[in-house]
Short mmCIF file of all heavy atoms in Angstrom, two decimals:
data_model
loop_
_atom_site.label_atom_id
_atom_site.label_comp_id
_atom_site.label_asym_id
_atom_site.label_seq_id
_atom_site.Cartn_x
_atom_site.Cartn_y
_atom_site.Cartn_z
N THR A 769 -3.38 -15.10 -10.88
CA THR A 769 -3.57 -15.05 -12.34
C THR A 769 -3.38 -13.63 -12.88
O THR A 769 -2.89 -13.46 -14.00
CB THR A 769 -4.98 -15.54 -12.69
OG1 THR A 769 -5.94 -14.81 -11.89
CG2 THR A 769 -5.12 -17.02 -12.42
N GLU A 770 -3.77 -12.64 -12.12
CA GLU A 770 -3.65 -11.26 -12.62
C GLU A 770 -2.16 -10.85 -12.69
O GLU A 770 -1.75 -10.17 -13.64
CB GLU A 770 -4.42 -10.30 -11.73
CG GLU A 770 -4.38 -8.85 -12.16
CD GLU A 770 -4.92 -8.62 -13.57
OE1 GLU A 770 -5.67 -9.48 -14.07
OE2 GLU A 770 -4.56 -7.59 -14.18
N LEU A 771 -1.39 -11.27 -11.71
CA LEU A 771 0.04 -10.96 -11.77
C LEU A 771 0.70 -11.65 -12.96
O LEU A 771 1.52 -11.05 -13.67
CB LEU A 771 0.73 -11.39 -10.47
CG LEU A 771 0.34 -10.62 -9.21
CD1 LEU A 771 1.09 -11.17 -7.99
CD2 LEU A 771 0.65 -9.14 -9.38
N GLU A 772 0.34 -12.89 -13.19
CA GLU A 772 0.94 -13.60 -14.32
C GLU A 772 0.46 -13.02 -15.65
O GLU A 772 1.23 -12.95 -16.61
CB GLU A 772 0.61 -15.09 -14.23
CG GLU A 772 1.34 -15.76 -13.08
CD GLU A 772 1.42 -17.27 -13.21
OE1 GLU A 772 0.49 -17.88 -13.78
OE2 GLU A 772 2.41 -17.84 -12.74
N ARG A 773 -0.79 -12.58 -15.68
CA ARG A 773 -1.30 -11.96 -16.92
C ARG A 773 -0.51 -10.67 -17.21
O ARG A 773 -0.12 -10.41 -18.35
CB ARG A 773 -2.79 -11.63 -16.77
CG ARG A 773 -3.44 -11.16 -18.07
CD ARG A 773 -4.84 -10.62 -17.83
NE ARG A 773 -4.84 -9.38 -17.07
CZ ARG A 773 -4.54 -8.19 -17.57
NH1 ARG A 773 -4.21 -8.07 -18.84
NH2 ARG A 773 -4.55 -7.11 -16.81
N GLN A 774 -0.25 -9.90 -16.16
CA GLN A 774 0.50 -8.66 -16.34
C GLN A 774 1.91 -8.92 -16.84
O GLN A 774 2.44 -8.20 -17.67
CB GLN A 774 0.57 -7.89 -15.02
CG GLN A 774 -0.72 -7.22 -14.61
CD GLN A 774 -0.85 -5.85 -15.25
OE1 GLN A 774 0.06 -5.36 -15.89
NE2 GLN A 774 -2.01 -5.24 -15.08
N LEU A 775 2.51 -9.97 -16.30
CA LEU A 775 3.88 -10.28 -16.70
C LEU A 775 3.94 -11.03 -18.03
O LEU A 775 4.98 -11.03 -18.70
CB LEU A 775 4.55 -11.15 -15.63
CG LEU A 775 5.15 -10.37 -14.47
CD1 LEU A 775 5.55 -11.33 -13.36
CD2 LEU A 775 6.37 -9.58 -14.94
N GLY A 776 2.86 -11.68 -18.38
CA GLY A 776 2.84 -12.42 -19.63
C GLY A 776 3.61 -13.72 -19.56
O GLY A 776 4.04 -14.25 -20.58
N ARG A 777 3.78 -14.24 -18.36
CA ARG A 777 4.47 -15.53 -18.23
C ARG A 777 4.13 -16.13 -16.88
O ARG A 777 3.73 -15.43 -15.95
CB ARG A 777 5.99 -15.36 -18.35
CG ARG A 777 6.59 -14.46 -17.28
CD ARG A 777 8.11 -14.38 -17.42
NE ARG A 777 8.66 -13.34 -16.57
CZ ARG A 777 9.76 -13.48 -15.84
NH1 ARG A 777 10.40 -14.61 -15.82
NH2 ARG A 777 10.21 -12.48 -15.10
N SER A 778 4.33 -17.43 -16.80
CA SER A 778 4.09 -18.13 -15.54
C SER A 778 5.31 -18.01 -14.64
O SER A 778 6.45 -18.09 -15.11
CB SER A 778 3.80 -19.61 -15.83
OG SER A 778 3.74 -20.31 -14.61
N LEU A 779 5.04 -17.83 -13.37
CA LEU A 779 6.14 -17.73 -12.41
C LEU A 779 6.20 -18.91 -11.46
O LEU A 779 7.18 -19.05 -10.72
CB LEU A 779 6.00 -16.45 -11.58
CG LEU A 779 6.25 -15.13 -12.30
CD1 LEU A 779 5.94 -13.96 -11.37
CD2 LEU A 779 7.67 -15.04 -12.79
N ALA A 780 5.18 -19.76 -11.47
CA ALA A 780 5.12 -20.86 -10.51
C ALA A 780 6.38 -21.74 -10.64
O ALA A 780 6.81 -22.07 -11.75
CB ALA A 780 3.87 -21.69 -10.72
N GLN A 781 6.96 -22.05 -9.52
CA GLN A 781 8.17 -22.87 -9.40
C GLN A 781 9.43 -22.13 -9.87
O GLN A 781 10.50 -22.72 -9.92
CB GLN A 781 8.06 -24.21 -10.16
CG GLN A 781 6.74 -24.94 -9.97
CD GLN A 781 6.38 -25.15 -8.51
OE1 GLN A 781 7.23 -25.47 -7.70
NE2 GLN A 781 5.12 -24.96 -8.18
N GLN A 782 9.30 -20.89 -10.22
CA GLN A 782 10.46 -20.12 -10.69
C GLN A 782 11.22 -19.54 -9.50
O GLN A 782 10.62 -19.04 -8.55
CB GLN A 782 10.01 -18.97 -11.58
CG GLN A 782 9.26 -19.38 -12.83
CD GLN A 782 10.20 -19.72 -13.97
OE1 GLN A 782 11.13 -18.98 -14.23
NE2 GLN A 782 9.94 -20.83 -14.63
N GLU A 783 12.54 -19.57 -9.60
CA GLU A 783 13.37 -18.94 -8.58
C GLU A 783 13.63 -17.49 -8.99
O GLU A 783 13.80 -17.19 -10.18
CB GLU A 783 14.70 -19.67 -8.44
CG GLU A 783 15.60 -19.07 -7.37
CD GLU A 783 16.86 -19.88 -7.15
OE1 GLU A 783 16.93 -21.02 -7.64
OE2 GLU A 783 17.77 -19.36 -6.48
N ILE A 784 13.66 -16.62 -8.01
CA ILE A 784 13.90 -15.21 -8.30
C ILE A 784 15.39 -14.97 -8.46
O ILE A 784 16.18 -15.29 -7.57
CB ILE A 784 13.34 -14.32 -7.18
CG1 ILE A 784 11.83 -14.52 -7.08
CG2 ILE A 784 13.67 -12.86 -7.42
CD1 ILE A 784 11.24 -13.95 -5.84
N ASP A 785 15.75 -14.42 -9.58
CA ASP A 785 17.16 -14.12 -9.87
C ASP A 785 17.55 -12.84 -9.12
O ASP A 785 16.96 -11.79 -9.35
CB ASP A 785 17.31 -13.92 -11.37
CG ASP A 785 18.76 -13.66 -11.78
OD1 ASP A 785 19.61 -13.50 -10.88
OD2 ASP A 785 19.01 -13.63 -12.99
N PRO A 786 18.53 -12.93 -8.23
CA PRO A 786 18.88 -11.73 -7.46
C PRO A 786 19.74 -10.73 -8.21
O PRO A 786 20.05 -9.67 -7.69
CB PRO A 786 19.66 -12.31 -6.28
CG PRO A 786 20.29 -13.53 -6.83
CD PRO A 786 19.32 -14.10 -7.84
N LEU A 787 20.15 -11.07 -9.43
CA LEU A 787 21.07 -10.18 -10.13
C LEU A 787 20.36 -8.89 -10.51
O LEU A 787 19.30 -8.91 -11.13
CB LEU A 787 21.61 -10.86 -11.40
CG LEU A 787 22.46 -12.10 -11.13
CD1 LEU A 787 22.88 -12.73 -12.45
CD2 LEU A 787 23.68 -11.75 -10.29
N PRO A 788 20.94 -7.77 -10.16
CA PRO A 788 20.22 -6.51 -10.33
C PRO A 788 20.08 -6.05 -11.77
O PRO A 788 19.40 -5.07 -12.01
CB PRO A 788 21.05 -5.52 -9.51
CG PRO A 788 22.39 -6.12 -9.40
CD PRO A 788 22.20 -7.60 -9.44
N GLN A 789 20.71 -6.73 -12.74
CA GLN A 789 20.48 -6.28 -14.11
C GLN A 789 19.05 -6.55 -14.56
O GLN A 789 18.57 -5.93 -15.48
CB GLN A 789 21.47 -6.89 -15.10
CG GLN A 789 21.50 -8.39 -15.12
CD GLN A 789 22.68 -8.89 -14.31
OE1 GLN A 789 22.99 -8.33 -13.26
NE2 GLN A 789 23.34 -9.92 -14.78
N ASP A 790 18.37 -7.50 -13.89
CA ASP A 790 16.94 -7.63 -14.10
C ASP A 790 16.28 -6.80 -13.01
O ASP A 790 16.15 -7.22 -11.88
CB ASP A 790 16.51 -9.10 -13.99
CG ASP A 790 15.01 -9.27 -14.25
OD1 ASP A 790 14.28 -8.26 -14.17
OD2 ASP A 790 14.60 -10.40 -14.53
N ARG A 791 15.93 -5.57 -13.34
CA ARG A 791 15.51 -4.64 -12.30
C ARG A 791 14.21 -5.06 -11.64
O ARG A 791 14.01 -4.83 -10.45
CB ARG A 791 15.39 -3.23 -12.88
CG ARG A 791 16.75 -2.66 -13.15
CD ARG A 791 16.64 -1.34 -13.84
NE ARG A 791 17.97 -0.79 -14.03
CZ ARG A 791 18.28 0.04 -14.98
NH1 ARG A 791 17.37 0.42 -15.83
NH2 ARG A 791 19.51 0.51 -15.07
N TRP A 792 13.32 -5.66 -12.41
CA TRP A 792 12.07 -6.12 -11.81
C TRP A 792 12.39 -7.15 -10.73
O TRP A 792 11.89 -7.08 -9.62
CB TRP A 792 11.17 -6.71 -12.89
CG TRP A 792 9.92 -7.27 -12.34
CD1 TRP A 792 8.79 -6.58 -11.98
CD2 TRP A 792 9.66 -8.65 -12.05
NE1 TRP A 792 7.87 -7.45 -11.49
CE2 TRP A 792 8.36 -8.72 -11.52
CE3 TRP A 792 10.39 -9.82 -12.19
CZ2 TRP A 792 7.78 -9.92 -11.14
CZ3 TRP A 792 9.82 -11.02 -11.81
CH2 TRP A 792 8.52 -11.06 -11.30
N ALA A 793 13.25 -8.11 -11.08
CA ALA A 793 13.63 -9.12 -10.10
C ALA A 793 14.44 -8.49 -8.98
O ALA A 793 14.37 -8.93 -7.83
CB ALA A 793 14.43 -10.23 -10.77
N GLY A 794 15.22 -7.46 -9.30
CA GLY A 794 16.00 -6.81 -8.27
C GLY A 794 15.14 -6.19 -7.20
O GLY A 794 15.42 -6.30 -6.01
N THR A 795 14.05 -5.53 -7.60
CA THR A 795 13.17 -4.94 -6.59
C THR A 795 12.49 -6.04 -5.79
O THR A 795 12.26 -5.90 -4.60
CB THR A 795 12.10 -4.02 -7.21
OG1 THR A 795 11.17 -4.81 -7.94
CG2 THR A 795 12.72 -2.97 -8.09
N LEU A 796 12.16 -7.13 -6.46
CA LEU A 796 11.53 -8.25 -5.76
C LEU A 796 12.49 -8.85 -4.75
O LEU A 796 12.13 -9.06 -3.59
CB LEU A 796 11.16 -9.35 -6.76
CG LEU A 796 9.76 -9.42 -7.31
CD1 LEU A 796 9.62 -10.69 -8.11
CD2 LEU A 796 8.74 -9.35 -6.22
N TYR A 797 13.69 -9.16 -5.20
CA TYR A 797 14.65 -9.84 -4.33
C TYR A 797 14.96 -8.97 -3.11
O TYR A 797 15.02 -9.46 -1.98
CB TYR A 797 15.93 -10.18 -5.08
CG TYR A 797 16.82 -11.14 -4.33
CD1 TYR A 797 16.69 -12.51 -4.51
CD2 TYR A 797 17.76 -10.67 -3.43
CE1 TYR A 797 17.49 -13.39 -3.80
CE2 TYR A 797 18.55 -11.55 -2.71
CZ TYR A 797 18.42 -12.91 -2.90
OH TYR A 797 19.20 -13.78 -2.18
N GLY A 798 15.13 -7.68 -3.33
CA GLY A 798 15.41 -6.78 -2.21
C GLY A 798 14.28 -6.76 -1.20
O GLY A 798 14.50 -6.82 0.01
N ALA A 799 13.05 -6.68 -1.70
CA ALA A 799 11.89 -6.65 -0.80
C ALA A 799 11.77 -7.98 -0.06
O ALA A 799 11.51 -8.01 1.16
CB ALA A 799 10.62 -6.36 -1.58
N TYR A 800 11.96 -9.08 -0.78
CA TYR A 800 11.82 -10.39 -0.14
C TYR A 800 12.92 -10.61 0.89
O TYR A 800 12.68 -11.14 1.98
CB TYR A 800 11.85 -11.49 -1.20
CG TYR A 800 10.62 -11.56 -2.07
CD1 TYR A 800 9.56 -10.66 -1.91
CD2 TYR A 800 10.50 -12.52 -3.06
CE1 TYR A 800 8.44 -10.72 -2.71
CE2 TYR A 800 9.37 -12.59 -3.87
CZ TYR A 800 8.35 -11.70 -3.70
OH TYR A 800 7.25 -11.76 -4.50
N ALA A 801 14.14 -10.23 0.55
CA ALA A 801 15.24 -10.41 1.50
C ALA A 801 15.02 -9.56 2.74
O ALA A 801 15.25 -10.01 3.87
CB ALA A 801 16.57 -10.06 0.82
N ASN A 802 14.56 -8.35 2.54
CA ASN A 802 14.26 -7.46 3.66
C ASN A 802 13.24 -8.11 4.58
O ASN A 802 13.40 -8.16 5.80
CB ASN A 802 13.74 -6.13 3.10
CG ASN A 802 13.65 -5.05 4.16
OD1 ASN A 802 13.78 -5.32 5.34
ND2 ASN A 802 13.37 -3.84 3.73
N CYS A 803 12.18 -8.65 3.98
CA CYS A 803 11.12 -9.28 4.78
C CYS A 803 11.64 -10.52 5.50
O CYS A 803 11.34 -10.73 6.68
CB CYS A 803 9.95 -9.63 3.86
SG CYS A 803 8.49 -10.23 4.73
N ALA A 804 12.43 -11.34 4.80
CA ALA A 804 12.93 -12.57 5.41
C ALA A 804 13.92 -12.28 6.53
O ALA A 804 14.00 -13.01 7.51
CB ALA A 804 13.59 -13.44 4.34
#
Side-chain angles (χ1 to χ4, degrees):
Chain A
T769 52
E770 181 59 20
L771 293 179
E772 290 199 328
R773 188 190 68 77
Q774 286 275 353
L775 276 170
R777 61 178 169 137
S778 172
L779 290 174
Q781 315 307 319
Q782 300 275 314
E783 181 175 348
I784 298 167
D785 183 352
L787 296 177
Q789 56 260 39
D790 182 342
R791 287 174 177 154
W792 177 80
T795 70
L796 263 188
Y797 193 91
Y800 288 1
N802 190 350
C803 187

